[in-house]
Amino acid sequence: MTTWDPAQYLRHADHRARPFADLLARVPDPPSAPARVADLGCGPGNVTALLADRWPTARITGYDNSPEMLDKAHTEHAGPTPGGGRLDFAHADVRTWAPTGTYDLIISNATLQWVPGHVERFAEWIGALAPGGTFAFQVPGNFDAPSHRLMRELAEAAGLPVALRHDDAVLTPEAYLVHLTALGCTADVWETTYIHLLTGEDPVLDWVKGTGLRPVLTALADDPAARETFLSAYRAALRDAYPAGPHGTPFPFRRIFAVARKEG
């Protein structure tokens, strides 16, 4: 199981939160109040808290399978909200999570790419929505980018026993639209490529250490020499692929969004 580091993940919190904010801006208000909301793959809870800002009376539960992430979320964000709602966090594996009761909103931010065959879960999740409820998600769509391609090539060359994600980790926007409309939803699907301007030394490496590189770092946790050998080669490759400019390092990052409203 991959080990997560909340502090490393949050080093780029502003850039990482922007896609969730853009997703949330397209999500309609829930059909009932107080709303019941599930956040699948909540991580350290920083973006789950944005749900409470938007709907202060809602009962919101963030789900994740990382003890490290959940501990951070509990410590910093759990509890009653100023509007009379509540923000809680619970352990769950999104691959098997099943709704209990009816939800007004099920949302997921940069998580479903870790769930093989995640579209097969959509029917059950949408089935648990109240009439007029919404299922919304955002996933990275950059698995053919140098950051991921180089990671896969180096891991394969090193013979590491990790399964790193390829393009098929997510579907095309068109395919998501077809799946969601077939389930009786009115769907809004789009994609955006952000050009993040990262600062600091080797910022792209620093970014992926919080997300895509976690399986490699977990696999090499007990072999510091092999870990440093891998990181040295990967660092050099990333410097060539993402050269630093006078004001920072531009880092293109494509993301795919979907907002699906269940018919009332």
Side-chain angles (χ1 to χ4, degrees):
M1 181 175 175
T2 299
T3 300
W4 291 86
D5 181 344
Q8 182 67 42
Y9 180 85
L10 290 169
R11 283 174 58 81
H12 300 276
D14 289 346
H15 289 297
R16 296 194 198 281
R18 182 180 171 189
F20 185 80
D22 290 345
L23 176 69
L24 193 57
R26 298 276 191 101
V27 174
D29 288 331
S32 62
R36 189 180 185 199
V37 179
D39 179 13
L40 307 184
C42 62
N46 58 309
V47 298
T48 315
L50 299 178
L51 298 169
D53 292 340
R54 171 83 180 270
W55 297 293
T57 65
R59 297 165 294 166
I60 303 164
T61 303
Y63 295 95
D64 208 283
N65 68 350
S66 165
E68 298 84 3
M69 289 292 201
L70 286 173
D71 183 64
K72 182 73 169 178
H74 275 293
T75 301
E76 305 223 347
H77 302 289
T81 62
R86 185 165 184 88
L87 183 55
D88 292 309
F89 299 91
H91 183 275
D93 190 328
V94 177
R95 293 173 296 181
T96 57
W97 179 80
T100 56
T102 302
Y103 286 84
D104 298 287
L105 171 63
I106 298 175
I107 195 165
S108 181
N109 181 59
T111 295
L112 299 182
Q113 73 276 9
W114 296 99
V115 181
H118 52 265
V119 292
E120 304 304 322
R121 308 290 298 139
F122 288 0
E124 183 176 11
W125 297 345
I126 290 170
L129 292 174
T134 299
F135 170 49
F137 63 89
Q138 175 271 126
V139 290
N142 67 331
F143 296 106
D144 60 347
S147 55
H148 285 74
R149 177 176 49 78
L150 292 167
M151 187 192 309
R152 291 193 298 265
E153 291 174 357
L154 289 168
E156 182 177 354
L160 297 180
V162 293
L164 296 176
R165 294 157 300 158
H166 292 253
D167 288 352
D168 59 1
V170 299
L171 276 61
T172 65
E174 294 84 357
Y176 281 126
L177 181 67
V178 168
H179 276 278
L180 293 167
T181 54
L183 292 171
C185 292
T186 301
D188 179 15
V189 182
W190 71 99
E191 64 179 78
T192 297
T193 297
Y194 297 88
I195 311 298
H196 300 297
L197 187 62
L198 306 182
T199 58
E201 186 176 0
D202 296 310
V204 177
L205 177 61
D206 194 63
W207 176 291
V208 297
K209 279 183 177 180
T211 51
L213 194 61
R214 297 311 306 175
V216 173
L217 296 176
T218 300
L220 296 176
D222 296 328
D223 192 342
R227 180 180 184 272
E228 187 51 42
T229 297
F230 181 92
L231 289 177
S232 294
Y234 189 37
R235 181 183 296 110
L238 289 176
R239 286 176 178 175
D240 288 339
Y242 300 97
H247 305 292
T249 301
F251 182 41
F253 203 119
R254 175 176 174 260
R255 294 185 183 268
I256 300 168
F257 302 78
V259 176
R261 184 177 181 274
K262 185 176 181 178
E263 295 298 330

